[in-house]
Amino acid sequence: MRKQKQNDLKGLFIVILALVVLNFASSKVFVRADLTQDKRYTLSKTSKDVVDAVNQPLYIDVFLKGNFPGEFKRLQTETSQLLEELKAQNPNIIFQFVNPLENPDESEAVMQSFMERGLTPINITLDDKGKQTQEVVFPWAIGTYGDKSIKIPLLKNMMGASTEEKVVSSVQHLEYAFANAINTISTTKQKKIAIIKGNGEMHDILIADFVRQIRENYYIGPFTLDSVQNKAKETLAELKKYDLAIIVKPTERFSDQEKQVLDQYVVSGGKTLWLVDQVNIEMDSLYNDRGMTLAMPRDLNLNDMFFKYGIRINPDLVKDIMATPIALATGDEGSASQYTQYPWFYSPMIYPEGKHPIISNLDGIKFEFTSGIEVLKNDINKTVLLRSSPYSKLVGTPVEVDLSMVQDRPEKAEFEGKGQIPVAVLLEGSFKSVFENRVLPFDDSTFSGSGKDTKMIVVADGDVIKNQLDRNFQPMELGYDKWTGNLYANKEFLLNCVNFLLDDNGLINIRSKQVNLPLLDKEKVYENYSKTQLLTVALPIVVLIIFGLLFTFLRKRKYSR
């Protein structure tokens, strides 16, 4: 007995010593292993660099706490796991989950204050074996860094998608959402964006939501080309100070001097985002007594420049069966009027296809009177970002456009083999000047026929950036259609374009990350509901009981001798 006691003490001492050594080692060496097949919890190098740059506490409040449906429980879990990884990378990341509706007496006031800040809640219907309940969810987080704060959307909008599909898409987007927010709030603005003016571009209030969004990351200001006529060299020198020039739906012809300024800006390495309408027609021009108007080609004097760069925007219109709806008044006039939605074939719904980070994981984008882009052969690398549907075709101009066409039901055979028309193209490389080996519109000793590598994106629709106005003539969210209640992905697409053109640290590439979340087949679950309960609830309990009885039996048998 004495020897047994000594052995027991010796074993206890060894266990205690091992625990002490292990505890000491764990305090010095920290290891996290991601065993998921898709490396869901492994941060990209870009995310690590962004998080490492945070040198003071950054507080993140996540409003995903409460009685949620199973799908949102999963979003909550995935968000928590990602934030744990961010905190492990940098202890300055401090997060907590908050239930904003925890106090029922204050729920109405809280919801109102959240909506005023743009944190819109969503109503979720939970259907459990025919029993439906409504839950309010705030799929948002707020990051606070010093005296700055930023909203972080956690749930992506996807028209027509189920809640599970939205959650899967949102989980894929989580790392980018948090990394981009942290980068925005913790990094001082450096890049500058010029909004080109002077050629009948879109009014400021119609691009206000877009401008308001990109102002969080970049310096932005209007840049007029009116001074080119008298001070061409000075205007070019000033434009070269900007990192990106955005040209939004010009309606007036560019002079050769203005074109030389833009051309030399591109050749010198400046990034550009072109949103160009090659056909002159507006939806407002249809709302007249006849309900029709004439679509005419628009000459902006840019054709030769785009041709030199490797594309051609044709003066035609894309007619697409995959169309967004418009709301038209029907029935009696006055208060008895009702609005009915009809497909508008000149307003294509473009669904992005491909894995390029600009379009990865995007929902449908609304276009309006867009033209087709012809991709030409030259040394510039071109990537078609967006195409019309397979059931689309080009309609030449001039052409009469009539609202009565909403009654048409075109046959698919009419569009066979004519679709997949490019409407947005990314160009990358060293561009050659359109004025190479030509007489220059103005003398410039710094003129270059070709220059630095750069990027440009050309979208054959100026209205893709246009936000609608509410009853008080205030700008609404870009992509939201107040007449149909649909929210399209226009803003996300354009922000991705800007981020890609100006992104030096590769943050936009995180969007290409793919996460595979297995989804339950609800129909199979309902069919085998009792069997599933037995396997997931009863079986583990039975196994534990058997194990406990067996362990007790063996222990009694051993010590009863």
Side-chain angles (χ1 to χ4, degrees):
M1 290 294 292
R2 184 176 181 181
K3 186 176 181 180
Q4 179 68 31
K5 188 174 182 180
Q6 289 177 346
N7 290 336
D8 291 343
L9 290 174
K10 183 178 179 181
L12 179 62
F13 176 75
I14 292 174
V15 170
I16 294 174
L17 181 63
L19 289 174
V20 171
V21 172
L22 183 63
N23 189 56
F24 178 78
S26 64
S27 65
K28 300 297 181 181
V29 180
F30 180 74
V31 178
R32 296 173 70 91
D34 185 356
L35 302 180
T36 57
Q37 185 178 8
D38 52 16
K39 298 301 177 184
R40 189 182 314 161
Y41 306 116
T42 300
L43 298 177
S44 65
K45 182 181 183 303
T46 301
S47 295
K48 291 179 180 179
D49 293 340
V50 169
V51 172
D52 288 340
V54 177
N55 52 24
Q56 67 182 62
L58 192 157
Y59 300 95
I60 299 177
D61 295 318
V62 184
F63 304 112
L64 282 178
K65 185 178 180 182
N67 183 25
F68 295 150
E71 295 88 348
F72 282 87
K73 283 289 185 182
R74 169 167 267 181
L75 180 60
Q76 180 189 55
T77 300
E78 296 293 336
T79 303
S80 178
Q81 293 281 6
L82 177 63
L83 290 173
E84 287 286 356
E85 292 297 324
L86 297 177
K87 185 176 181 179
Q89 183 68 25
N90 187 341
N92 282 325
I93 305 296
I94 303 169
F95 70 91
Q96 65 174 346
F97 281 75
V98 180
N99 182 1
L101 304 179
E102 187 173 12
N103 188 344
D105 297 334
E106 301 177 356
S107 59
E108 289 294 332
V110 170
M111 289 182 65
Q112 183 63 31
S113 64
F114 271 49
M115 292 179 69
E116 289 175 356
R117 298 179 63 182
L119 305 176
T120 308
I122 60 174
N123 291 312
I124 297 298
T125 300
L126 179 60
D127 189 352
D128 186 10
K129 298 187 69 176
K131 180 182 179 182
Q132 293 186 343
T133 56
Q134 291 285 335
E135 297 289 345
V136 177
V137 179
F138 285 92
W140 295 89
I142 289 183
T144 304
Y145 189 72
D147 59 351
K148 297 190 293 184
S149 64
I150 188 171
K151 300 180 297 184
I152 308 172
L154 304 180
L155 184 68
K156 285 176 59 62
N157 174 68
M158 295 178 64
M159 289 184 296
S162 66
T163 303
E164 287 184 334
E165 291 170 335
K166 290 180 180 180
V167 168
V168 171
S169 179
S170 301
V171 170
Q172 292 179 342
H173 185 71
L174 277 178
E175 183 178 347
Y176 173 76
F178 279 104
N180 184 53
I182 293 172
N183 182 65
T184 299
I185 200 173
S186 63
T187 305
T188 304
K189 294 180 184 179
Q190 295 178 342
K191 302 291 182 66
K192 297 195 296 183
I193 298 175
I195 305 294
I196 302 299
K197 298 289 184 180
N199 293 84
E201 286 80 7
M202 189 174 288
H203 195 282
D204 290 345
I205 197 171
L206 298 178
I207 62 172
D209 188 58
F210 171 77
V211 171
R212 181 169 51 201
Q213 189 69 41
I214 61 174
R215 187 176 283 140
E216 294 182 357
N217 295 78
Y218 309 105
Y219 293 109
I220 186 170
F223 188 94
T224 180
L225 295 178
D226 291 345
S227 58
V228 168
Q229 187 173 359
N230 299 320
K231 298 180 179 179
K233 295 180 182 179
E234 293 82 351
T235 302
L236 175 57
E238 286 299 315
L239 183 58
K240 286 182 178 180
K241 295 179 182 180
Y242 289 85
D243 301 284
L244 171 66
I246 302 178
I247 302 91
V248 181
K249 195 178 180 178
T251 57
E252 300 173 7
R253 182 183 173 90
F254 285 81
S255 68
D256 287 342
Q257 292 90 341
E258 293 171 334
K259 195 161 61 173
Q260 182 180 337
V261 168
L262 292 174
D263 173 80
Q264 286 301 288
Y265 173 75
V266 170
V267 171
S268 66
K271 313 292 196 309
T272 48
L273 173 59
W274 298 84
L275 308 175
V276 180
D277 272 1
Q278 202 73 345
V279 176
N280 184 11
I281 183 172
E282 303 289 340
M283 279 300 299
D284 291 345
S285 62
L286 288 167
Y287 300 131
N288 53 44
D289 293 338
R290 295 182 299 164
M292 61 81 63
T293 189
L294 193 65
M296 297 289 294
R298 173 179 281 150
D299 181 16
L300 297 173
N301 194 29
L302 296 175
N303 292 344
D304 57 343
M305 187 164 73
F306 286 143
F307 183 86
K308 187 73 172 183
Y309 296 161
I311 63 169
R312 181 189 289 116
I313 306 178
N314 294 309
D316 46 31
L317 295 174
V318 175
K319 186 176 182 180
D320 199 333
I321 291 182
M322 185 69 71
T324 61
I326 60 172
L328 298 178
T330 57
D332 298 330
E333 296 183 1
S335 59
S337 294
Q338 295 182 350
Y339 287 87
T340 305
Q341 295 186 19
Y342 298 95
W344 182 242
F345 302 121
Y346 284 126
S347 183
M349 168 82 84
I350 306 295
Y351 282 99
E353 297 178 356
K355 297 183 179 180
H356 194 281
I358 292 178
I359 58 174
S360 176
N361 203 24
L362 276 188
D363 198 20
I365 302 167
K366 180 182 179 180
F367 278 64
E368 190 172 283
F369 295 119
T370 183
S371 300
I373 299 178
E374 186 178 348
V375 178
L376 309 175
K377 290 184 178 181
N378 65 359
D379 296 334
I380 299 298
N381 182 39
K382 305 170 196 70
T383 304
V384 176
L385 298 175
L386 300 174
R387 301 176 186 267
S388 62
S389 80
Y391 298 103
S392 60
K393 68 176 184 178
L394 293 173
V395 177
T397 57
V399 65
E400 185 179 281
V401 179
D402 196 324
L403 282 177
S404 64
M405 66 179 290
V406 297
Q407 304 291 345
D408 296 344
R409 292 297 177 264
E411 297 292 334
K412 289 185 177 180
E414 178 185 343
F415 300 86
E416 289 286 354
K418 301 178 182 178
Q420 299 286 306
I421 303 163
V423 295
V425 179
L426 165 68
L427 300 94
E428 300 173 280
S430 176
F431 292 85
K432 293 184 178 181
S433 172
V434 67
F435 295 100
E436 185 181 25
N437 301 322
R438 288 171 54 181
V439 176
L440 298 180
F442 64 85
D443 293 331
D444 181 9
S445 59
T446 65
F447 175 84
S448 176
S450 61
K452 303 176 183 177
D453 284 349
T454 187
K455 307 173 187 176
M456 76 166 57
I457 295 174
V458 180
V459 182
D461 178 21
D463 292 310
V464 74
I465 196 175
K466 181 179 179 180
N467 57 250
Q468 295 181 357
L469 305 179
D470 62 17
R471 292 182 177 179
N472 298 318
F473 299 99
Q474 295 300 308
M476 305 179 75
E477 183 176 2
L478 172 58
Y480 179 71
D481 185 356
K482 64 181 179 181
W483 304 112
T484 63
N486 293 331
L487 180 61
Y488 303 98
N490 294 46
K491 179 160 68 172
E492 193 172 358
F493 166 67
L494 290 170
L495 292 178
N496 288 346
C497 288
V498 172
N499 290 340
F500 180 82
L501 293 171
L502 293 179
D503 190 12
D504 292 332
N505 59 10
L507 189 64
I508 188 67
N509 292 321
I510 303 175
R511 290 184 48 81
S512 300
K513 184 174 182 178
Q514 294 293 321
V515 175
N516 298 316
L517 293 179
L519 300 177
L520 285 176
D521 188 330
K522 291 185 177 181
E523 294 299 325
K524 288 185 177 181
V525 171
Y526 290 157
E527 289 176 4
N528 304 281
Y529 197 80
S530 300
K531 183 179 178 180
T532 303
Q533 282 187 320
L534 288 173
L535 289 175
T536 58
V537 179
L539 183 59
I541 296 175
V542 172
V543 171
L544 286 174
I545 292 174
I546 293 174
F547 178 79
L549 292 174
L550 183 61
F551 177 78
T552 303
F553 172 75
L554 293 176
R555 188 171 182 276
K556 285 184 177 181
R557 183 177 178 184
K558 177 179 179 180
Y559 290 104
S560 62
R561 297 178 179 177

